[in-house]
Amino acid sequence: LCAVNVHWHLGAEHLSEGQFDENGKGPSSDGYKYRLGHRCHFYDEADPKFTTPYEWKHCKDMHVGETYEVHWPHSAAGACGTEWQFQTPFYDGVFCNDGVVNILTPLNTYKNIGVQSQTYTIVNDESYFHDNLMYGMIVDENFGVDMTMYTGSTTGTSRDNDVCSRFAPITWQVDRKCHMISASSFDKMCEMMKMQKDDMSDDLHAHGSRMTVADHLTAD
């Protein structure tokens, strides 16, 4: 499998109590165009790294101090190692090559499609810079340590507890902890997205977060 797309959601779609949940904090959400999900707990309006505006050059409609959940869809049917590896919408990348992923019998989506997820609060502080968010989640002694892995489905606001995704099950790997990251890290990622062969401009902004999945619908 290889990463075939990167995109992010406004707030966190996943719930991790005490990390990103309904009691999280952030800047004013007045004027937001998309549904806001859960928030992390780092935000402090008295600390300038959460409130000092950043001059965004590549990402669109982003806010210092806000929480974003980043997703990296991976697929065995991606154009791995080619100039077309990263595509928008992500389904184009996931199903790029025919005859690999089967959503009917025999079902193999859980083997051939996966998503990495990591949640961040954006700060205006270069000590939190990471130079490559494009190709997958950060994994080091602090990032990607407390992980949950499960089979679920694709997300977004077109899905809820009544309307399911037809693309399931897929394998999720979710970092349960929230992390601070510099605004410049996101802007560098957006710059790299602009350099891809496929037009990724529709993923240069945050997408809305779906409502949290009801307990009776979640995987064990």
Side-chain angles (χ1 to χ4, degrees):
L1 279 68
C2 64
V4 296
N5 172 272
V6 59
H7 64 273
W8 50 96
H9 296 265
L10 179 59
E13 293 197 302
H14 287 91
L15 170 65
S16 181
E17 294 288 352
Q19 290 290 323
F20 33 94
D21 55 32
E22 65 277 9
N23 297 315
K25 300 175 292 183
S28 172
S29 59
D30 291 347
Y32 281 6
K33 300 176 183 178
Y34 304 100
R35 185 182 184 276
L36 175 64
H38 298 300
R39 281 171 157 174
C40 301
H41 292 248
F42 291 122
Y43 181 80
D44 180 357
E45 63 181 7
D47 187 333
K49 70 172 173 283
F50 297 106
T51 59
T52 303
Y54 177 80
E55 185 179 346
W56 297 93
K57 297 180 176 65
H58 304 287
C59 299
K60 301 177 181 177
D61 297 324
M62 299 289 288
H63 305 276
V64 171
E66 192 54 88
T67 297
Y68 298 93
E69 180 176 324
V70 182
H71 292 166
W72 292 269
H74 287 62
S75 176
C80 303
T82 76
E83 61 186 359
W84 294 103
Q85 178 173 328
F86 280 83
Q87 299 192 37
T88 296
F90 72 86
Y91 288 119
D92 288 357
V94 167
F95 298 107
C96 189
N97 290 311
D98 292 334
V100 179
V101 176
N102 194 346
I103 63 174
L104 300 174
T105 305
L107 181 72
N108 67 9
T109 51
Y110 62 96
K111 295 180 180 179
N112 291 328
I113 303 173
V115 184
Q116 292 179 336
S117 171
Q118 204 159 49
T119 299
Y120 308 97
T121 293
I122 291 186
V123 296
N124 194 344
D125 185 333
E126 290 307 302
S127 66
Y128 293 91
F129 178 74
H130 290 267
D131 67 354
N132 190 357
L133 287 180
M134 181 81 184
Y135 289 91
M137 63 186 292
I138 302 167
V139 179
D140 62 19
E141 65 274 12
N142 298 311
F143 290 73
V145 176
D146 185 0
M147 299 291 297
T148 289
M149 303 179 189
Y150 69 98
T151 52
S153 71
T154 53
T155 65
T157 52
S158 61
R159 282 88 180 187
D160 54 31
N161 291 322
D162 296 311
V163 179
C164 299
S165 169
R166 63 181 296 215
F167 302 110
I170 61 173
T171 299
W172 281 84
Q173 298 183 355
V174 181
D175 189 340
R176 291 178 54 83
K177 291 190 175 180
C178 183
H179 308 276
M180 286 187 281
I181 197 163
S182 71
S184 59
S185 302
F186 262 75
D187 221 24
K188 174 71 179 295
M189 174 174 59
C190 289
E191 181 182 20
M192 295 174 71
M193 292 167 69
K194 288 181 174 180
M195 297 169 62
Q196 301 307 304
K197 189 74 171 180
D198 197 46
D199 180 7
M200 299 189 73
S201 58
D202 285 347
D203 281 329
L204 295 175
H205 63 85
H207 300 271
S209 287
R210 64 156 292 162
M211 66 177 63
T212 302
V213 179
D215 287 345
H216 71 279
L217 298 175
T218 58
D220 291 334

